[in-house]
């Protein structure tokens, strides 16, 4: 499908991985992605990225949706309501990813990689990887001769890697502004794992194309995935969406948000009596959108949407954040 960017109305999405319940970080991203779409009068898509079966427990997607509804966020297309581009669970879209992989193979964009876990670990300790994925792959299987490939083929099921073009990738991020990555930008990446699971980068791009997504708003941790995704759009001959990356939330000590920072799960704040509008108003303030942490529902925040106000990079929670949220 060809996506015409200039004339099409805004279609945005929130694409959680239902490996766990929503935490404050996901809630902030969901709120900002929703605001961007609603402020533009666009269509909001909810897509469950449940490809890694063992990590995604049954029932979690329903809980995530219930928490989003509690926060005051809705969607026009999604696993429960359906829509013209369904199904909206990645686990039900495997045939599409296989067809896309076939296109990449036919175009010579991918190659089999036989590297063992130990080899990859050794490579990963080298610098220049992606923050989100560790060290860059050095491309050693890209250079195998046909005979070497045949010999390895007999011993191991390969993963499939995308051969990243050896040049830089530039784009204008809706929050961070103009950015350039590479050359190399994290190295050749896996589009299908040796265990058969389709890689995140490929599934996201295939789905965003197929679902006509014009605007991607997601967490800062995926910023450095963008050059890889731009390379995939190019390989498929499709025009990429606009990308924007909202801040990661960190604990007061500056480390990644986790249970030891208190009740970071939306469900536990809810159980403790925090009102949803207090949480959404507070997240809007924390991410830079508003001046005061006043209770505000998502619809009340729509007129205040302004991506230029959103804080670039990470935000630390204030030390007294739980007390503030529970204040009434
Ligand atoms: N499923 C990804 C995550 O939960 C987000 C994918 C995206 O927004 O591109 O981190």
């Amino acid at each position: 499908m060809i996506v015409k960017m200039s004339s099409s109305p805004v279609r945005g999405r929130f694409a959680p991985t239902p490996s766990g319940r929503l935490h404050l970080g996901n809630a902030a991203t969901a709120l900002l992605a929703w605001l961007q779409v609603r402020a533009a009068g666009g269509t909001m898509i909810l897509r469950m990225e449940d490809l890694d079966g063992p990590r995604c427990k049954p029932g979690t997607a329903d809980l995530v949706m219930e928490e989003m509804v509690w926060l005051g966020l809705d969607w026009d297309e999604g696993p429960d309501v359906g829509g013209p581009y369904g199904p909206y669970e990645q686990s039900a879209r495997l045939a599409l990813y296989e067809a896309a992989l076939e296109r990449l193979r036919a175009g010579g964009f991918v190659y089999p990689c036989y590297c063992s876990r130990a080899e990859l670990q050794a490579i990963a300790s080298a610098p220049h990887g992606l923050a989100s994925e560790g060290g860059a792959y050095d491309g050693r299987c890209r250079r195998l001769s046909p005979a070497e490939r045949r010999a390895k083929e007999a011993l191991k099921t390969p993963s499939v890697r995308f051969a990243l073009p050896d040049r830089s990738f530039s784009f204008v991020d809706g929050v961070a502004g103009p950015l350039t990555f590479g050359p190399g930008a994290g190295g050749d990446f896996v589009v299908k794992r040796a265990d058969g699971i389709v890689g995140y980068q490929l599934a996201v791009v295939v789905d965003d194309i197929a679902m006509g997504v014009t605007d991607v708003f997601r967490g800062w941790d995926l910023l450095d995935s963008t050059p890889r995704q731009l390379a995939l759009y190019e390989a498929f001959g499709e025009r990429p969406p606009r990308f924007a990356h909202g801040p990661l939330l960190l604990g007061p000590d500056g480390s990644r948000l986790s249970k030891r920072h208190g009740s970071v799960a939306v469900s536990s704040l809810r159980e403790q009596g925090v009102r949803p509008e207090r949480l959404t108003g507070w997240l809007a303030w924390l991410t830079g959108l508003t001046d005061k942490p006043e209770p505000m529902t998502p619809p009340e925040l729509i007129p205040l949407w302004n991506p230029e106000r959103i804080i670039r990079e990470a935000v630390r929670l204030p030390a007294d954040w739980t007390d503030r949220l529970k204040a009434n």
Side-chain angles (χ1 to χ4, degrees):
M1 196 184 92
I2 310 264
V3 183
K4 291 200 185 68
M5 296 293 308
S6 47
S7 57
S8 60
V10 165
R11 290 177 58 81
R13 82 312 191 268
F14 177 56
T17 302
S19 54
R21 310 283 290 265
L22 282 190
H23 59 67
L24 287 175
N26 315 124
T29 301
L31 173 64
L32 297 177
W34 184 92
L35 285 173
Q36 183 191 48
V37 171
R38 292 295 179 231
T43 301
M44 183 70 192
I45 302 164
L46 178 65
R47 183 173 70 226
M48 287 296 161
E49 305 216 316
D50 56 350
L51 277 183
D52 198 342
R55 281 182 58 222
C56 301
K57 291 180 210 78
T60 308
D62 291 337
L63 294 171
V64 166
M65 288 193 275
E66 205 215 306
E67 284 158 6
M68 287 181 67
V69 170
W70 178 78
L71 284 167
L73 304 175
D74 63 351
W75 49 94
D76 309 301
E77 298 174 22
D80 53 344
V81 291
Y85 303 98
Y88 293 89
E89 292 103 340
Q90 288 192 326
S91 57
R93 301 175 63 80
L94 301 182
L96 256 103
Y97 310 137
E98 282 305 326
L101 261 176
E102 238 3 274
R103 279 182 64 190
L104 292 178
R105 280 195 192 100
F109 293 106
V110 293
Y111 60 89
C113 172
Y114 302 93
C115 288
S116 67
R117 201 173 288 251
E119 281 170 297
L120 291 174
Q121 262 158 13
I123 298 168
S125 57
H128 308 307
L130 289 182
S132 49
E133 289 177 30
Y137 182 62
D138 61 5
R140 64 183 65 175
C141 284
R142 206 208 277 208
R143 297 183 291 268
L144 293 178
S145 68
E148 286 170 325
R149 204 160 272 176
R150 271 195 303 277
K152 287 185 184 277
E153 183 77 58
L155 300 172
K156 190 177 183 302
T157 309
S159 62
V160 181
R161 278 187 195 270
F162 183 85
L164 196 71
D166 191 23
R167 59 173 177 77
S168 60
F169 286 86
S170 299
F171 66 101
V172 180
D173 188 90
V175 171
L179 293 170
T180 296
F181 286 84
D188 297 348
F189 57 91
V190 173
V191 285
K192 186 172 187 179
R193 293 179 359 193
D195 64 6
I197 293 185
V198 175
Y200 154 71
Q201 315 284 356
L202 178 67
V204 161
V205 168
V206 168
D207 286 347
D208 284 341
I209 293 170
M211 294 179 180
V213 168
T214 61
D215 290 79
V216 168
F217 194 107
R218 58 188 176 193
W220 200 271
D221 51 334
L222 293 169
L223 182 66
D224 57 13
S225 284
T226 309
R228 297 173 161 198
Q229 294 177 13
L230 289 173
L232 281 170
Y233 277 95
E234 232 173 65
F236 290 126
E238 297 281 354
R239 197 193 289 225
R242 291 175 285 262
F243 289 99
H245 295 81
L248 272 194
L249 301 191
L250 303 177
D253 58 356
S255 68
R256 227 185 151 86
L257 209 56
S258 73
K259 281 194 188 118
R260 78 202 144 82
H261 296 120
S263 315
V264 295
V266 169
S267 56
S268 56
L269 291 166
R270 181 180 173 182
E271 277 153 25
Q272 290 170 56
V274 173
R275 288 186 294 123
E277 63 274 22
R278 175 157 286 276
L279 186 52
T280 47
W282 181 77
L283 288 172
W285 165 74
L286 201 62
T287 54
L289 207 54
T290 56
D291 293 326
K292 286 191 224 130
E294 285 174 354
M296 285 187 91
T297 63
E300 286 167 346
L301 288 162
I302 294 173
L304 303 177
W305 171 252
N306 177 1
E308 283 174 19
R309 287 199 54 150
I310 295 173
I311 291 170
R312 294 158 193 206
E313 227 170 328
V315 174
R316 284 189 193 204
L317 298 190
D320 61 347
W321 70 275
T322 344
D323 299 334
R324 289 208 207 184
L325 268 182
K326 286 194 229 155
N328 64 42

